[in-house]
Amino acid sequence: MNTEPTVPLPETMSAPDAEHATLPLEDSILPSSETSDPLAEAPTTASAPSPRTRWAAIVWGLCFAAIAWFGIWMLSDGERHDSVTDWLASLNPGTITAFGLLALGALVLISGLVGLIRRAQRRLANQS
């Protein structure tokens, strides 16, 4: 960080083109080559650890891709589309509740799977 005071900019022209004119670059504004950068001289003793794999993103991405593929496959054919429409119309409140609980259970299952993968990843990182 430079603690020297700033240099004021030169006055601009009062001509009509003054709003489009550029200011000259002064040598006093540029950093001198004599100043040293403490980070450039620091010795590099340890390399950065390798990036870890984001398993949660992979698992959730695969889950959403499978849901999207199944939805496109089910609704891409007219006959399957009609059968899905008839099936949705025949659902009663108890069945809708059961399917909602099933979907919630699937979310909990996937979250637990991601947590187990993360725990295993941390154990492997601590062992090395």
Side-chain angles (χ1 to χ4, degrees), residues 2-127:
N2 192 358
T3 59
E4 297 177 5
T6 59
V7 178
L9 295 175
E11 301 255 330
T12 59
M13 299 179 294
S14 61
D17 272 351
E19 63 185 283
H20 300 293
T22 59
L23 298 175
L25 182 63
E26 298 179 13
D27 290 335
S28 62
I29 295 175
L30 298 173
S32 67
S33 60
E34 298 171 0
T35 60
S36 63
D37 186 12
L39 295 178
E41 296 174 2
T44 56
T45 56
S47 63
S50 61
R52 67 175 197 253
T53 304
R54 301 289 183 160
W55 287 106
I58 293 171
V59 171
W60 282 109
L62 288 174
C63 177
F64 290 137
I67 291 169
W69 175 84
F70 183 73
I72 290 171
W73 179 78
M74 284 296 290
L75 301 176
S76 63
D77 185 28
E79 190 174 309
R80 284 192 298 256
H81 184 287
D82 292 339
S83 63
V84 168
T85 304
D86 292 339
W87 174 73
L88 286 174
S90 69
L91 292 177
N92 60 30
T95 309
I96 294 172
T97 303
F99 279 122
L101 290 174
L102 181 66
L104 183 64
L107 290 175
V108 169
L109 178 70
I110 294 170
S111 297
L113 177 66
V114 167
L116 288 174
I117 291 172
R118 179 67 183 132
R119 179 188 288 179
Q121 188 179 25
R122 283 183 181 170
R123 280 190 185 163
L124 287 175
N126 288 339
Q127 288 177 358

